[in-house]
Amino acid sequence: GAGVSQSPSNKVTEKGKDVELRCDPISGHTALYWYRQSLGQGLEFLIYFQGNSAPDKSGLPSDRFSAERTGGSVSTLTIQRTQQEDSAVYLCASSLGGRGRTDTQYFGPGTRLTVL
Amino acid sequence: SQKIEQNSEALNIQEGKTATLTCNYTNYSPAYLQWYRQDPGRGPVFLLLIRENEKEKRKERLKVTFDTTLKQSLFHITASQPADSATYLCALASYSSASKIIFGSGTRLSIRP
């Protein structure tokens, strides 16, 4: 079946503009994650959605970052008033989710964001 | 604070040899540990999972060990091939908090012919 898809694959924006990044998870996956990966760095956790539970937003770096997940499926990560330090690859992953089970994540190809 | 360290940023291995990558962690009691492969311009791809009560896991040419006393996992690729060249990430997770999956920064492995 189809894997996790993300759009756009590349986004170049000017400092101060808002951007929206989209993630389509694997059908049936209840858990969805957003990560940020800077050049040569590991994955930085941003936010986690699990079913209808309140999302874990503990990784969002500032209040300029927000995310929502509509209908338990598609998710949008929004960055307001972008700054140059926001430049990175933003990765989305989904998994079957649920407590008490191992949770293998399936990643999308990422969106490369460049803030000029 | 919780921390994961992978042994080096880059590892250069001759084709046919065994590549060994190290993942050390502190201030964490994981229920399981995962290894992922990441190619340039792509998202990570899951390879292997090992639980806290397992010492070793194998899959084809891959072998993972997990020592919760040493707080260390070793990832081995035997009979390495140039196609194995990629960045390998380890990740720790607990059953109780899926959002607390913590990734290491990865080791870039290069297999030279």
Side-chain angles (χ1 to χ4, degrees), chain A residues 35-63:
Chain A
Y35 294 90
R36 178 168 70 175
Q37 188 174 35
S38 300
L39 188 63
Q41 300 297 310
L43 276 66
E44 176 189 2
F45 167 77
L46 297 178
I47 189 169
Y48 161 67
F49 296 89
Q50 171 57 57
N52 296 320
S53 302
D56 180 342
K57 305 178 182 180
S58 60
L60 295 178
S62 77
D63 58 8

Side-chain angles (χ1 to χ4, degrees), chain B:
Chain B
S1 62
Q2 298 162 345
K3 193 175 180 182
I4 299 182
E5 287 185 347
Q6 295 194 236
N7 57 327
S8 61
E9 285 192 7
L11 196 61
N12 216 307
I13 300 291
Q14 178 73 44
E15 181 178 8
K17 301 290 186 183
T18 296
T20 298
L21 284 65
T22 305
C23 177
N24 295 295
Y25 60 93
T26 56
N27 297 324
Y28 198 88
S29 296
Y32 58 95
L33 183 148
Q34 301 173 328
W35 283 89
Y36 288 79
R37 169 182 173 142
Q38 187 173 25
D39 290 285
R42 294 178 173 266
V45 174
F46 170 76
L47 294 175
L48 277 170
L49 179 150
I50 186 165
R51 293 180 173 81
E52 60 177 340
N53 60 348
E54 297 176 318
K55 296 294 184 186
E56 183 179 298
K57 209 71 167 293
R58 291 176 184 262
K59 179 181 177 183
E60 297 172 350
R61 295 183 295 110
L62 309 180
K63 185 178 85 170
V64 171
T65 63
F66 194 12
D67 189 326
T68 54
T69 300
L70 291 179
K71 295 186 182 294
Q72 180 182 78
S73 174
L74 299 179
F75 177 78
H76 306 273
I77 305 176
T78 58
S80 59
Q81 305 166 0
D84 295 327
S85 299
T87 296
Y88 292 85
L89 305 165
C90 69
L92 303 178
S94 68
Y95 291 124
S96 62
S97 179
S99 63
K100 298 304 181 187
I101 296 173
I102 304 173
F103 282 82
S105 57
T107 296
R108 190 171 66 252
L109 177 66
S110 296
I111 308 297
R112 59 182 187 273

